[in-house]
Amino acid sequence: MRADEIREAFLAYFERHGHTRVPSASLVPAGDPTLLFTNAGMVPFKDVFLGLERRPYRRATTVQKCMRVSGKHNDLENVGPSPRHHTFFEMLGNFSFGDYFKRDAIRFAWELTTGVFGIPPDRLTQTVLDGDDEALSAWAALGIQQDRIVRMGEATNFWMMGDVGPCGPTSELHYDSGPAACTCGRPDCGVALDNGCGRWLEIWNLVFMQFDQAPGGTRIPLPQPGVDTGMGLERIASVIQGVPSNYDTDLFLPLFLHIQRLLGHSDAERAEQTVAYRVLADHGRAMTFLTSDGVVPDNEGRGYVLRMIIRRAIRFARRAGARDPVLPGLTDAVVSTMRGAYPDLATHAPFIREVVGAEEERFQQTLDAGLGRLDDLIADARRRGVTVLSGVDVFRLYDTYGFPPDLTRDVAREHGLEIDEAGFTAERARAQERSRAAETFQSDAKERAAYAALRETGTSSEFVGYDAFEAQGRVLALLRAGNQVASAAAGDEVEVVCDRTPFYAEAGGQVGDTGEIRTRDGVVAIADTQRPVPGLVVHRGRVAAGMVRVGETASLRVDAPRRRDIMRNHTATHLLHRALREILGDHARQAGSLVAPDRLRFDFFHLKPVSPEERARLEARVNEQVLAALPVRTEIMAYRDAVATGAMALFDEKYGDTVRVVTIDEYSRELCGGTHVGTTAEIGLFLITSESSVGSGIRRIEALSGRGAVAHARGREELLRETAGVLRVPVSEVPERVRQLVQRARALEAEVEAARTRAAAPDLDAIIQQAPEVDGITVVGINSPGADQAALRALGDRVKSKLPSGVIVAASASNGRIEVVVMATAGAVARGAAARKIMAVLNRRLGTRGGGRPELAQGGGGDPALLEPVLNDLPAVVREALAAVADGRR
Ligand code: ATP
Ligand code: MG
């Protein structure tokens, strides 16, 4: 049986036995912020078991996506070494909500495994909770000898959701792979040892929800015991397919082939890298399904877990020899192997690719620098015979290389080392102090004085980066915290001044360049470039490796793709400026701008909001210039000449005598020192993303160009396609369909409202007809969940109007309390069944407080769990009330 067939056989089997097939819920639990991920099949049914939610069925069967990477269930570190633990896996389950119990659950499990799945009965061992005779005899009833059944303690065979709530004993099915598979080597090897021995594989856990555990530990029997079972698809597949590990099933083999292709491995190489393949396959599935369910990498919460999984996968890929990005290929492979069972994956595939691709790119850079350094640290620790990496080192790794501490911990553990957690935390706190001090220091007089002093000694930098992204130069000065230093070593924060530089220093709204400065044996990672005083360009960064010294020659290299993005945005800004004046009027002049790699922001003078039509025209006008591929030229000229030829000057900018003029063909002419593309065609596409107000008379447009615009457009397209898919209409019909749906929803709401009023009333005639009699008094009990006192009274009145003689108990339970109304007809009162008397009995049985008159009594409070049993036993209540009356008479 292939995995696809196993899923289907499982669901179909339970369907045949009266279960409703329910689709898998999301990995992100709905409305449950306390739980990071869905980690078992019962999670979506939690409220049903708790009695908080009702479903139209009492038996359900699912194949549920699960993640076990946090909290009590964290199998992350098992992945790889363990042939049977995954982070992401599929759990097959069947559920009974107050319907069948142990006997049937056990029979189903036995019939399915030994019948449908054809597993030889003598290969299966069952465990029960010691003392659970009901489970024991249920197995015995199937012909299993009692002495073969393993009795276990609560540690393994009692299940609880948390510290309180539904819980109960469990019974598990273990598969016996035979003595040859034993890895523990103990003469008494067996399930009872629970020692993770390879011979025994837990495949199915049957949970019997039997008690409600109160705070303090007392267990009250549930009025409606239920069943929750879970069987790992990957494990049962390995058993059915007769293979030694989950990874040898058809769920993973195709993935392994893809991975082998991605890594370019021979079969022999692949065989050597089992753990890496397992981790890649497992984590590949996890990241694909998580992203598909809307989780994106982040620094906290679910996104953080995803980020760790992605990073862990990359690390194993690199260790297995990967040099190029592997994750997009990996997630594609997961999509293609799993899309049959999870069609959503195909819809989200482009999004998944993009998310993991970007994360991989970002992490690749971090890794290269950090792993080498970490290896050194580990080797050093080994040499010195210590088993703990110092907090300072771990922090430096994090601070300098952006290398996440979790990863350091992970790698260290693989080498049998720990990290000094307390030391790390302390060092981070110290660094925060330092950076707070440094921040205030930055604009400090001391530093400015240092720059001015440099200028005075004749130090100056020539900017050569209009056309070039790389240049050779010489290190003229190094500064640390405002002090000139002769050299800087790995880890040092440093400012580098060179005689020539292709790095653009932040000016005119355009952000500073980033990149790298290399000397003979040093590398400085540049994070920002500034011009603190005219003529001096300061590169700010950290020495990533080796050492840099004043006087050395240096190769300076700008992060070119980033700079190209900036150039596109800058030229686009000029086009937008011109278009604004064309469309809104001459007043719409620039008031400020930000030109970053990923977006542009343009503030301009205008009194009222830009209308959607104007916005569309602006966008179209700019794109016209883009499509026209207009040449962009720059020239240096006298300020006076420039203004005379109509170049736009910015009102708040100081200009020297000679200025730089950027001309876009005939269309635009501005004084500007920034960097631009050669032709407008390079902009590719221009999209306005927002328009807003910033203070009086100034509006702000935010826009994208180039890669950013394309990604944005693609995202929107994806969204629309997905929407159309959900609506099952062509994209062009989406608006009309949504309009219809909104109308329909309104109509339905009205209908539901009407129906609710009607349905709040159960079928009273039927209830009255079936009502029992006590001494000739008809006794009607109605449970109307959620109803308040007024609704219960109204309900009682309606029953009373149909009832010649009798008593009515209408009750509800909600928000942890009972509401109850008791009514008695005149005839019933005459026979001694006064409402007040019945209320008194109810108070005793339900724990409610209440009272009233002979015809009408009301009460509330009590224990909701008692309501259903007491309502089912109303004749006894009435009899007790009558007896009390009789006693009173006597
Ligand atoms: P184990 O002791 O093997 O870790 P468990 O007791 O944690 O299993 P349950 O919580 O009872 O497992 O989950 C029900 C079933 O789900 C298990 O019997 C097993 O088949 C499967 N399962 C549990 N954890 C994993 C996992 N990390 N990867 C794959 N399947 C799992
Ligand atoms: Mg487990």
Side-chain angles (χ1 to χ4, degrees):
M1 268 181 156
R2 286 181 287 108
D4 282 339
E5 293 165 333
I6 297 172
R7 275 193 209 96
E8 181 53 35
F10 184 92
L11 295 171
Y13 172 84
F14 282 104
E15 231 169 17
R16 280 201 301 280
H17 292 88
H19 293 65
T20 299
R21 203 190 268 235
V22 179
S24 172
S26 167
L27 282 169
V28 177
D32 190 347
T34 62
L35 188 62
L36 217 48
F37 297 112
T38 302
N39 58 14
M42 70 81 63
V43 169
F45 298 115
K46 202 166 130 179
D47 283 349
V48 185
F49 281 116
L50 288 169
L52 299 171
E53 185 193 340
R54 268 170 209 232
R55 301 262 176 134
Y57 41 78
R58 297 176 72 190
R59 297 179 178 203
T61 181
T62 61
V63 178
Q64 175 63 46
K65 300 180 275 189
C66 292
M67 275 296 285
R68 293 201 167 180
V69 284
S70 60
K72 206 164 71 177
H73 290 296
N74 188 344
D75 287 330
L76 182 66
E77 292 189 13
N78 282 333
V79 173
S82 164
R84 53 178 75 164
H85 286 95
H86 310 294
T87 56
F88 169 87
F89 67 100
E90 296 170 79
M91 196 185 279
L92 308 166
N94 57 290
F95 306 90
S96 155
F97 312 118
D99 193 20
Y100 62 85
F101 203 41
K102 293 179 194 177
R103 188 165 291 270
D104 285 324
I106 285 172
R107 187 172 51 81
F108 288 149
W110 190 244
E111 212 172 272
L112 184 66
T113 45
T114 60
V116 179
F117 290 161
I119 302 172
D122 59 352
R123 287 296 196 124
L124 292 171
T125 297
Q126 33 289 110
T127 67
V128 299
L129 178 67
D130 199 10
D132 186 355
D133 294 337
E134 208 181 336
L136 199 68
S137 63
W139 285 115
L142 297 167
I144 293 152
Q145 284 162 12
Q146 295 216 4
D147 55 2
R148 281 208 47 179
I149 301 170
V150 183
R151 290 155 223 229
M152 305 280 283
E154 288 210 355
T156 57
N157 283 52
F158 195 88
W159 185 91
M160 290 200 63
M161 186 142 48
D163 297 332
V164 293
C167 56
T170 68
S171 180
E172 295 172 342
L173 268 182
H174 295 254
Y175 180 75
D176 178 2
S177 300
C182 172
T183 53
C184 73
R186 291 185 45 157
D188 56 346
C189 172
V191 169
L193 290 180
D194 187 32
N195 62 354
C197 175
R199 174 170 174 179
W200 308 98
L201 175 65
E202 177 192 328
I203 51 174
W204 204 346
N205 192 358
L206 316 177
V207 179
F208 309 120
M209 286 310 174
Q210 195 166 358
F211 304 106
D212 186 1
Q213 176 147 326
T218 44
R219 289 176 186 156
I220 310 157
L222 283 172
Q224 298 202 327
V227 172
D228 146 36
T229 85
M231 169 157 65
L233 172 66
E234 299 76 4
R235 291 190 191 179
I236 189 68
S238 78
V239 170
I240 293 176
Q241 296 173 10
V243 292
S245 97
N246 294 2
Y247 296 99
D248 298 303
T249 65
D250 69 325
L251 282 162
F252 285 95
L253 284 180
L255 261 185
F256 271 41
L257 272 179
H258 278 288
I259 295 168
Q260 184 174 5
R261 216 169 300 139
L262 280 170
L263 297 178
H265 277 176
S266 66
D267 288 350
E269 284 169 318
R270 167 174 156 178
E272 273 171 18
Q273 300 280 358
T274 307
V275 168
Y277 273 70
R278 286 177 175 180
V279 169
L280 278 169
D282 176 273
H283 290 13
R285 285 169 20 124
M287 68 182 79
T288 305
F289 276 88
L290 282 174
T291 315
S292 181
D293 277 351
V295 181
V296 292
D298 195 356
N299 282 331
E300 53 183 33
R302 300 186 172 113
Y304 181 70
V305 174
L306 173 58
R307 173 162 282 168
M308 282 314 296
I309 287 172
I310 288 179
R311 293 185 164 190
R312 202 160 179 266
I314 295 170
R315 197 159 52 76
F316 275 86
R318 307 260 302 191
R319 194 190 287 169
R323 285 293 155 259
D324 299 325
V326 294
L327 297 193
L330 180 60
T331 54
D332 279 354
V334 174
V335 171
S336 73
T337 56
M338 299 290 273
R339 61 188 293 172
Y342 299 93
D344 262 13
L345 291 180
T347 320
H348 297 143
F351 174 71
I352 297 170
R353 260 183 147 265
E354 204 156 304
V355 168
V356 300
E359 186 67 10
E360 181 165 24
E361 202 172 297
R362 184 186 329 197
F363 189 52
Q364 201 92 338
Q365 296 159 358
T366 304
L367 261 187
D368 287 333
L371 269 183
R373 178 77 193 115
L374 181 53
D375 283 346
D376 292 348
L377 288 177
I378 289 171
D380 185 54
R382 281 265 169 79
R383 240 190 333 272
R384 292 188 293 122
V386 297
T387 58
V388 179
L389 294 184
S390 92
V392 177
D393 284 342
V394 175
F395 178 77
R396 197 162 294 155
L397 210 50
Y398 164 67
D399 195 37
T400 311
Y401 300 92
F403 205 73
D406 304 64
L407 197 50
T408 307
R409 191 178 300 126
D410 213 9
V411 177
R413 277 207 190 131
E414 280 158 24
H415 291 84
L417 300 173
E418 296 293 320
I419 69 178
D420 173 8
E421 308 278 355
F424 171 78
T425 311
E427 186 58 24
R428 185 167 55 188
R430 266 197 294 281
Q432 273 160 0
E433 270 311 307
R434 274 202 302 273
S435 72
R436 217 167 290 139
E439 254 166 46
T440 47
F441 196 60
Q442 199 161 54
S443 59
D444 205 340
K446 182 175 172 194
E447 235 155 307
R448 289 198 63 82
Y451 300 132
L454 264 180
R455 270 307 266 142
E456 267 153 36
T457 58
T459 309
S460 74
S461 335
E462 183 194 356
F463 175 62
V464 295
Y466 280 125
D467 322 292
F469 295 144
E470 290 184 42
Q472 297 292 315
R474 210 160 59 78
V475 180
L476 297 182
L478 295 169
L479 289 111
R480 282 175 54 71
N483 298 312
Q484 287 202 39
V485 293
S487 66
D492 287 350
E493 284 248 20
V494 69
E495 294 183 339
V496 186
V497 178
C498 295
D499 56 348
R500 304 171 74 237
T501 179
F503 283 72
Y504 183 83
E506 178 172 345
Q510 178 177 333
V511 301
D513 278 336
T514 64
E516 209 176 65
I517 297 179
R518 281 178 182 271
T519 57
R520 190 167 53 90
D521 54 3
V523 182
V524 190
I526 303 302
D528 190 21
T529 308
Q530 294 287 330
R531 189 184 2 244
V533 292
L536 198 70
V537 174
V538 172
H539 308 87
R540 299 205 165 120
R542 266 204 188 91
V543 182
M547 181 150 240
V548 289
R549 300 172 191 84
V550 171
E552 287 182 328
T553 53
S555 355
L556 299 94
R557 210 179 68 214
V558 170
D559 178 341
R562 177 178 181 274
R563 164 74 97 70
R564 283 202 191 89
D565 288 337
I566 294 173
M567 288 159 68
R568 286 189 193 98
N569 276 336
H570 205 153
T571 307
T573 305
H574 285 209
L575 293 177
L576 174 63
H577 191 190
R578 176 78 194 134
L580 279 166
R581 301 188 67 209
E582 282 181 335
I583 289 165
L584 302 181
D586 258 346
H587 64 277
R589 291 168 55 110
Q590 175 167 351
S593 74
L594 170 73
V595 179
D598 56 346
R599 73 212 154 99
L600 69 89
R601 197 171 72 201
F602 194 81
D603 296 345
F604 58 97
F605 298 98
H606 192 53
L607 288 170
K608 47 184 200 294
V610 178
S611 70
E613 297 74 35
E614 287 167 335
R615 180 170 155 170
R617 280 172 63 204
L618 283 166
E619 205 175 76
R621 189 75 179 126
V622 171
N623 280 314
E624 245 173 70
Q625 314 312 319
V626 170
L627 292 180
L630 304 176
V632 181
R633 291 203 188 81
T634 57
E635 48 196 321
I636 308 292
M637 56 174 79
Y639 177 71
R640 248 178 311 122
D641 295 348
V643 173
T645 58
M648 293 278 304
L650 298 185
F651 74 102
D652 60 349
E653 198 92 342
K654 278 193 234 103
Y655 294 101
D657 286 344
T658 55
V659 291
R660 186 163 176 267
V661 177
V662 176
T663 310
I664 307 177
D665 201 42
E666 308 274 88
Y667 190 66
S668 146
R669 200 167 160 76
E670 282 193 39
L671 300 190
C672 177
T675 61
H676 290 268
V677 292
T679 138
T680 55
E682 287 174 54
I683 293 169
L685 175 64
F686 174 81
L687 289 179
I688 295 177
T689 52
S690 82
E691 194 272 340
S692 58
S693 159
V694 272
S696 57
I698 298 181
R699 310 290 307 178
R700 168 171 293 176
I701 279 181
E702 294 186 79
L704 303 168
S705 78
R707 297 196 293 179
V710 171
H712 184 77
R714 202 193 303 136
R716 286 294 158 98
E717 166 75 13
E718 202 49 56
L719 208 64
L720 194 55
R721 264 200 331 126
E722 193 186 329
T723 311
V726 172
L727 296 171
R728 294 175 200 282
V729 296
V731 164
S732 60
E733 286 168 27
V734 166
E736 184 48 34
R737 182 85 185 110
V738 170
R739 256 192 295 278
Q740 285 170 4
L741 284 174
V742 170
Q743 264 167 20
R744 177 132 181 71
R746 284 208 192 104
L748 283 175
E749 265 159 25
E751 240 175 77
V752 166
E753 197 43 52
R756 193 177 283 147
T757 329
R758 260 177 279 129
D763 186 356
L764 298 180
D765 292 324
I767 290 175
I768 292 170
Q769 215 152 54
Q770 288 157 17
E773 281 194 7
V774 175
D775 291 357
I777 304 166
T778 311
V779 180
V780 180
I782 305 177
N783 185 357
S784 175
D788 60 9
Q789 287 277 345
L792 293 175
R793 247 183 347 260
L795 190 61
D797 282 336
R798 301 217 348 259
V799 178
K800 207 170 168 184
S801 70
K802 296 172 188 258
L803 197 64
S805 171
V807 297
I808 304 135
V809 177
S812 69
S814 62
N815 302 328
R817 61 180 270 128
I818 296 172
E819 304 291 348
V820 55
V821 168
V822 184
M823 290 182 178
T825 62
V829 175
R831 284 163 186 260
R836 181 170 23 139
K837 299 267 160 47
I838 292 169
M839 189 72 232
V841 179
L842 287 175
N843 284 342
R844 268 199 301 286
R845 296 202 176 192
L846 295 172
T848 47
R849 299 163 70 97
R853 296 174 281 117
E855 299 81 22
L856 172 69
Q858 292 167 262
D863 181 354
L866 300 173
L867 183 57
E868 198 59 55
V870 170
L871 278 182
N872 287 336
D873 204 17
L874 269 188
V877 171
V878 173
R879 245 176 256 122
E880 195 182 324
L882 290 174
V885 173
D887 279 351
R889 283 210 192 107
R890 229 180 280 134

